[in-house]
Amino acid sequence: MSYLEVIGGRRLQGGIRIQGSKNAALPILSAAVLHSGVTVLKNCPKIIDVKNMLEILRDFGCRVDWEGDVLIIDASGMHGGAARKQYARKMRSSIMLLGSLLGRVGSACLPYPGGCVIGERPIDLHLAALRQMGARVEEGDEGLLAVCESPKGAEVVLPFPSVGATENVILLSVLSEGITVLDNAAREPEIEELCRFLNSMGACIRGGGSSRIVIAGVEKLHDTEFTIGPDRIVAGTYMLLTAAAGGRVFLEAAPAGQLKGVLNLLGRMGVCAEERKDGLWIGRSGRICSPGTVQTEPYPGFPTDLQSPLMAVLAGAEGESRIRETIFEARFKIVEDLKRMGADICTKGQEAVIRGREMLHGETLAAQELRGGAALVLAAAAAEGSSRIRGLSYIERGYENIVRDLQALGVVVNLREENEKDAVYERTWEKPERKI
Ligand code: UD1
């Protein structure tokens, strides 16, 4: 089994290019099957979640090929079929196929989605909205069986701006008859990107990125070529890494416009940011100070995906901070590991109180989920001494090559094998290769 070894306490220096966005790529891959033809995607991140999604697309008869860094999906041979549980259960985004399968072939047979263990992740809002558009969905022990012979536009109001439910409604509406008006839609940038992608293949969607989205159904779509934008959560992770470890780094292509709230918060904590046309410089020299209370919220509020990385930073900040997690109820999974590193954190329900310590110390740690895993890496990079982080497979769900990136930012980190003394990290996406 492999683990990361991080020797902490070194100031950062260097730069990386921010990878393509996971939360944009996954719904876009679902959307590609709406068209009986070819979609060419550039800058699609080579992460495990994308790999699993492509396996599911193959289950439904799509041809999927990589030509270098360009992904080509040919969905002309698409059929109703069923997805293999082993892939669908590994990620939340498999639920996104519900809207697009119903739109394209009129039926869907999907195992329940999996994903990170960050609390209950119900799909009731997805199902209620799709039913409003004419879908009949049965929830069995094994998964979902849905049929929708002739999807109709509808007026849908989401009780909560769920990202996933917004995407599913958009996906089913594209080829529906009539007009769909979706109110209280999620406003995440990835929704706007999904709409831009669909419009590039002939859909007629207005208002993506706002809380009212209007979709006029079209009869068919056409081939398209699209470039996926940079990942704001990955950029945010490395911004927070710099806040934790200190130093100065350049994040090429970081989408500063999507990270205004995070940049504001970092400014209050004593981090300097300099926006350039091609990216973002981030630097921190003195000790970081507490920003007071931070609450996670739907976009444009502070993203739940950066809550654990922020906690890792605040564990070493001056003063007392509070974090309120309002999106998922089990997203404080790193607290015990941080406490073993010397952090002073108390949690009560959805609130964590963090009294910053000057320096944490290295420990043996275990990632339990994607963003929490990245947060442990961050804590280890800022701590004194050496840490061992197990559970790399969780981190690889969303970070293309975290070791390569960390090394390029000046972190002393290596991939090691249990029982192997000196395995040096050098990997490819398909099959990790290690030089001994
Ligand atoms: C959420 C985040 C998104 C993040 C993603 C991955 C928000 C608003 N959404 O998206 O930014 O990238 O996780 O970590 O921060 N809910 C229901 N019923 C449903 C659907 C959702 O009750 O049918 C609830 C969830 O339990 C959760 C909240 O709504 O409390 C947000 O869910 P949603 O936005 O759908 O989650 P994701 O799409 O996974």
Side-chain angles (χ1 to χ4, degrees), residues 136-188:
R136 281 173 286 131
V137 189
E138 274 175 37
E139 296 172 72
D141 291 341
E142 292 293 303
L144 299 165
L145 200 56
V147 182
C148 190
E149 285 100 6
S150 49
K152 300 251 182 329
E155 284 183 19
V156 179
V157 183
L158 292 177
F160 176 86
S162 152
V163 174
T166 299
E167 290 165 345
N168 252 328
V169 170
I170 294 171
L171 291 169
L172 181 57
S173 322
V174 167
L175 294 172
S176 296
E177 194 187 317
I179 290 178
T180 299
V181 181
L182 176 60
D183 274 312
N184 201 25
R187 291 182 291 157
E188 267 68 0

Side-chain angles (χ1 to χ4, degrees), residues 66-254:
W66 284 95
E67 277 182 15
D69 283 338
V70 178
L71 177 61
I72 300 163
I73 300 159
D74 182 348
S76 49
M78 170 102 190
H79 54 69
R84 277 170 293 171
K85 235 195 231 166
Q86 72 193 91
Y87 295 110
R89 296 282 302 154
K90 279 190 183 145
M91 52 191 230
R92 172 79 175 165
S93 296
S94 56
I95 189 67
M96 237 73 274
L97 281 161
L98 190 56
S100 48
L101 283 168
L102 289 177
R104 171 79 192 277
V105 292
S107 66
C109 174
L110 285 171
Y112 288 113
C116 283
V117 283
I118 52 181
E120 274 297 308
R121 299 186 83 176
I123 50 170
D124 54 319
L125 303 180
H126 301 235
L127 301 189
L130 298 183
R131 283 182 175 126
Q132 250 190 285
M133 300 181 65
R136 281 173 286 131
V137 189
E138 274 175 37
E139 296 172 72
D141 291 341
E142 292 293 303
L144 299 165
L145 200 56
V147 182
C148 190
E149 285 100 6
S150 49
K152 300 251 182 329
E155 284 183 19
V156 179
V157 183
L158 292 177
F160 176 86
S162 152
V163 174
T166 299
E167 290 165 345
N168 252 328
V169 170
I170 294 171
L171 291 169
L172 181 57
S173 322
V174 167
L175 294 172
S176 296
E177 194 187 317
I179 290 178
T180 299
V181 181
L182 176 60
D183 274 312
N184 201 25
R187 291 182 291 157
E188 267 68 0
E190 295 78 18
I191 305 271
E192 194 181 346
E193 195 159 345
L194 172 67
C195 295
R196 267 195 290 117
F197 167 73
L198 284 163
N199 284 342
S200 80
M201 61 199 303
C204 182
I205 308 174
R206 299 285 173 269
S210 76
S211 53
R212 167 172 276 209
I213 302 178
V214 180
I215 306 116
V218 295
E219 265 177 29
K220 58 189 248 226
L221 301 167
H222 53 72
D223 290 357
T224 190
E225 188 179 306
F226 189 81
T227 302
I228 292 172
D231 193 310
R232 66 187 166 103
I233 302 300
V234 169
T237 304
Y238 293 131
M239 285 154 64
L240 289 162
L241 168 74
T242 314
R248 189 164 184 266
V249 303
F250 185 65
L251 304 177
E252 188 186 340

Side-chain angles (χ1 to χ4, degrees), residues 187-389:
R187 291 182 291 157
E188 267 68 0
E190 295 78 18
I191 305 271
E192 194 181 346
E193 195 159 345
L194 172 67
C195 295
R196 267 195 290 117
F197 167 73
L198 284 163
N199 284 342
S200 80
M201 61 199 303
C204 182
I205 308 174
R206 299 285 173 269
S210 76
S211 53
R212 167 172 276 209
I213 302 178
V214 180
I215 306 116
V218 295
E219 265 177 29
K220 58 189 248 226
L221 301 167
H222 53 72
D223 290 357
T224 190
E225 188 179 306
F226 189 81
T227 302
I228 292 172
D231 193 310
R232 66 187 166 103
I233 302 300
V234 169
T237 304
Y238 293 131
M239 285 154 64
L240 289 162
L241 168 74
T242 314
R248 189 164 184 266
V249 303
F250 185 65
L251 304 177
E252 188 186 340
Q258 299 175 3
L259 285 160
K260 282 192 186 127
V262 179
L263 282 165
N264 243 322
L265 181 80
L266 287 174
R268 272 164 40 213
M269 290 162 64
V271 175
C272 300
E274 228 180 285
E275 240 181 283
R276 293 280 166 87
K277 247 202 339 242
D278 55 345
L280 195 60
W281 280 101
I282 292 284
R284 193 270 281 174
S285 45
R287 190 166 173 212
I288 211 94
C289 55
S290 157
T293 300
V294 180
Q295 174 164 311
T296 61
E297 282 166 356
Y299 189 83
F302 189 84
T304 176
D305 281 355
L306 290 177
Q307 183 262 106
S308 299
L310 176 68
M311 183 182 275
V313 178
L314 298 182
E318 197 167 357
E320 184 178 295
S321 318
R322 279 167 197 266
I323 294 183
R324 251 179 243 134
E325 171 57 62
T326 73
I327 309 290
F328 293 110
E329 75 271 19
R331 222 169 186 183
F332 287 149
K333 287 209 184 296
I334 61 166
V335 169
E336 290 312 312
D337 268 340
L338 291 181
K339 277 162 88 168
R340 286 191 304 104
M341 297 176 83
D344 180 351
I345 304 174
C346 295
T347 57
K348 196 168 174 216
Q350 294 305 99
E351 188 162 303
V353 179
I354 304 132
R355 287 177 207 95
R357 287 281 170 85
E358 183 110 26
M359 194 59 133
L360 305 188
H361 57 79
E363 258 299 340
T364 296
L365 309 164
Q368 298 178 62
E369 43 98 5
L370 165 58
R371 305 300 172 188
L376 292 179
V377 175
L378 228 114
E384 196 164 33
S386 151
S387 292
R388 197 178 259 229
I389 303 160

